[in-house]
Amino acid sequence: WSAGELTGDNQLHISESSPALHYGQQGFEGLKAYRTKDGSIQLFRPDQNAARLQNTVRRLCMAEVPTEMFIDAVKQVVKANEDFVPPYGTGATLYLRPLLIGVGDVIGVKPADEYIFTVFAMPVGSYFKGGLAPSKFVISRDYDRAAPLGTGGAKVGGNYAASLQAEVGAKA
């Protein structure tokens, strides 16, 4: 892994034959930075997010991001965006999305030779607008989000993409 750098460029420049695009070789995490009552900023167990990403990428035969590198990258992004961490008590946070993708010129089903690890941030409102409250759910047995013994335990985009048709149908 290289040392990496902070950048304001939110565009990833990758080969159109990158394994992330064709074979789904990508994993991601999500965590939040919170402003405390005294104005400081805290993360909640980023080491656990690093461990979950490591489990995900092992499942996808990808290079693991070391825990120290993961936490350092997350902290650098928070520090660079500390003005966007919402005030304490608003329920809003700075959402962080660490992302690891397989890149390079690969056509053929095999693991990538190169990877991009990036972390981006954005302020977000409360996940449960109006606080915690009962929700209406539709249970459908017509779709599988993640196959048993497949990537169900991994945080990969394909698992979320597989849920979209059921979600659109439930909302309709």
Side-chain angles (χ1 to χ4, degrees), residues 78-97:
V78 171
K79 185 164 180 48
N81 291 280
E82 64 185 324
D83 291 345
F84 298 102
V85 179
Y88 173 78
T90 62
T93 60
L94 183 70
Y95 181 75
L96 304 160
R97 172 56 59 92

Side-chain angles (χ1 to χ4, degrees), residues 70-149:
F70 180 98
I71 293 172
D72 181 58
V74 167
K75 285 182 176 180
Q76 284 188 51
V77 170
V78 171
K79 185 164 180 48
N81 291 280
E82 64 185 324
D83 291 345
F84 298 102
V85 179
Y88 173 78
T90 62
T93 60
L94 183 70
Y95 181 75
L96 304 160
R97 172 56 59 92
L99 171 70
L100 181 66
I101 60 173
V103 297
D105 294 316
V106 178
I107 289 294
V109 182
K110 71 180 196 90
D113 295 321
E114 304 171 56
Y115 297 92
I116 292 176
F117 172 62
T118 186
V119 180
F120 64 93
M122 70 188 91
V124 295
S126 176
Y127 191 77
F128 297 103
K129 297 184 185 2
L132 291 174
S135 299
K136 293 181 180 180
F137 288 93
V138 173
I139 297 174
S140 172
R141 301 200 192 309
D142 298 330
Y143 306 100
D144 290 323
R145 178 181 177 268
L149 304 177

Side-chain angles (χ1 to χ4, degrees), residues 15-115:
S15 169
E16 62 191 356
S17 62
S18 290
L21 301 175
H22 297 272
Y23 309 115
Q25 200 183 27
Q26 54 85 3
F28 65 95
E29 271 301 311
L31 64 158
K32 296 176 180 179
Y34 301 86
R35 183 88 53 189
T36 63
K37 195 179 262 189
D38 69 6
S40 63
I41 299 171
Q42 292 186 349
L43 296 166
F44 180 69
R45 300 187 325 180
D47 59 319
Q48 297 299 303
N49 291 94
R52 186 167 64 173
L53 181 64
Q54 291 163 354
N55 288 334
T56 292
V57 303
R58 274 195 298 272
R59 179 68 182 89
L60 300 177
C61 300
M62 298 173 74
E64 289 183 36
V65 176
T67 301
E68 300 77 28
M69 181 179 158
F70 180 98
I71 293 172
D72 181 58
V74 167
K75 285 182 176 180
Q76 284 188 51
V77 170
V78 171
K79 185 164 180 48
N81 291 280
E82 64 185 324
D83 291 345
F84 298 102
V85 179
Y88 173 78
T90 62
T93 60
L94 183 70
Y95 181 75
L96 304 160
R97 172 56 59 92
L99 171 70
L100 181 66
I101 60 173
V103 297
D105 294 316
V106 178
I107 289 294
V109 182
K110 71 180 196 90
D113 295 321
E114 304 171 56
Y115 297 92

